[in-house]
Amino acid sequence: MTRRAFAALTAMFGMMVAACATVPAGSAAAGERHVTVTTAEGAADALLFTPAKGRAPGVILFSDLGGLRPAIADLGRKLAGDGYVVLVPNAFYRSVALDGTAASTLDYPTRSKQWRGAATDAAVIEDSKAYVAYLDGVPQVDKSAKLGVVGYDIGAAYAFIAARAVPGRIGAVAAIHPLAVATARPNSPHLFVNQSKAAYYVVMGKNAFEREPGDKTDLEKAFADAGLKGTVVVAAGNHGFGVSDNPAYDAASADQAWAAMLALLRSSLK
């Protein structure tokens, strides 16, 4: 065998080993592209981020009510760099097209009424099934591992719903400064955690906890009653602390929540 042939064979073998390996945390994100996920009601624009090499667990990342935009894309990119295949869908595709390149200028009350109004529980359940199926079709996803779901603000409620929609695949839910995960409504997401099989990490903003301190107790009770691993903590920062373009952004609280979220994913996505 010539030296050149041996080198080529060695390189090929290295690529095969990399393709079979699970990506370690801290790897650089290598790929990102716009994709379209076919759902029961249409098609959702999304961003897909993949690590530098090998296979990795998949994670769905749901945005806050600001929608898919550069600050949210940065979170997906960062999570891929930590060793995950990350799908960041436009959860509000029924109301608006968002590709992550710019923030919407629509006012908050309109977004809350129109975008959130169209993303009903039933709709999010069906969408979540589509997102899971899409991730399971991505070659870089390690399908022997469970999937994770991360949600910010109202995206945390969608993360809870996703774990209920596909309990056999979703092993971890991280809810960062959540909105509407524990309410007095009969469809409150916390009432249905017993339909999931996930481990949960919830970190509330300080002012949200001060406004509704009972939410923490309700969540802890729901996890305990369901026999699920669930951690609920209160951050030093206020609601919105985890997203860089939010006026309440707090880097220290965001970093602490990120570290805890990574610990949850590493321990649960097996």
Side-chain angles (χ1 to χ4, degrees):
M1 180 182 293
T2 67
R3 181 177 299 175
R4 180 175 297 178
F6 178 79
L9 183 61
T10 301
M12 182 179 297
F13 178 76
M15 291 173 64
M16 291 171 64
V17 170
C20 295
T22 296
V23 178
S27 301
E32 54 183 86
R33 64 183 188 269
H34 293 90
V35 299
T36 301
V37 180
T38 300
T39 70
E41 294 186 29
D45 356 78
L47 297 177
L48 181 69
F49 299 92
T50 54
K53 57 183 179 178
R55 292 200 303 265
V59 177
I60 302 166
L61 193 155
F62 286 110
S63 77
D64 57 16
L65 199 50
L68 185 54
R69 61 193 189 280
I72 298 298
D74 285 344
L75 293 172
R77 191 173 295 116
K78 180 180 179 182
L79 188 52
D82 282 320
Y84 297 91
V85 177
V86 186
L87 181 70
V88 188
N90 170 19
F92 309 110
Y93 70 90
R94 292 173 179 80
S95 304
V96 62
L98 298 170
D99 64 4
T101 60
S104 171
T105 58
L106 196 63
D107 63 276
Y108 183 87
T110 304
R111 293 198 309 268
S112 184
K113 181 178 180 180
Q114 294 182 359
W115 296 8
R116 187 177 169 187
T120 63
D121 290 0
V124 175
I125 285 172
E126 294 306 314
D127 289 349
S128 297
K129 293 176 182 177
Y131 301 148
V132 166
Y134 183 89
L135 271 176
D136 277 343
V138 174
Q140 294 94 330
V141 170
D142 179 1
K143 285 176 278 296
S144 69
K146 296 288 187 179
L147 299 173
V149 191
V150 178
Y152 288 77
D153 186 73
I154 192 60
Y158 300 159
F160 271 59
I161 293 171
R164 160 190 171 192
V166 198
R169 284 296 288 124
I170 294 176
V173 173
I176 302 175
H177 50 79
L179 176 67
V181 296
T183 73
R185 301 186 187 95
N187 67 333
S188 179
H190 82 288
L191 298 176
F192 300 93
V193 296
N194 61 351
Q195 296 181 13
S196 77
K197 298 178 181 178
Y200 288 78
Y201 166 69
V202 181
V203 52
M204 305 172 64
K206 180 178 67 174
N207 58 346
F209 171 72
E210 292 170 346
R211 185 169 57 249
E212 295 288 348
D215 287 359
K216 184 174 185 292
T217 303
D218 289 345
L219 285 163
E220 290 171 337
K221 183 177 186 305
F223 297 142
D225 289 349
L228 298 172
K229 179 181 177 182
T231 301
V232 187
V233 300
V234 179
N238 286 328
H239 185 85
F241 69 79
V243 183
S244 62
D245 64 355
N246 191 301
Y249 176 67
D250 180 80
S253 295
D255 288 346
Q256 290 172 1
W258 192 267
M261 177 264 292
L262 286 180
L264 173 76
L265 297 181
R266 289 168 184 160
S267 65
S268 303
L269 303 190
K270 299 177 180 178

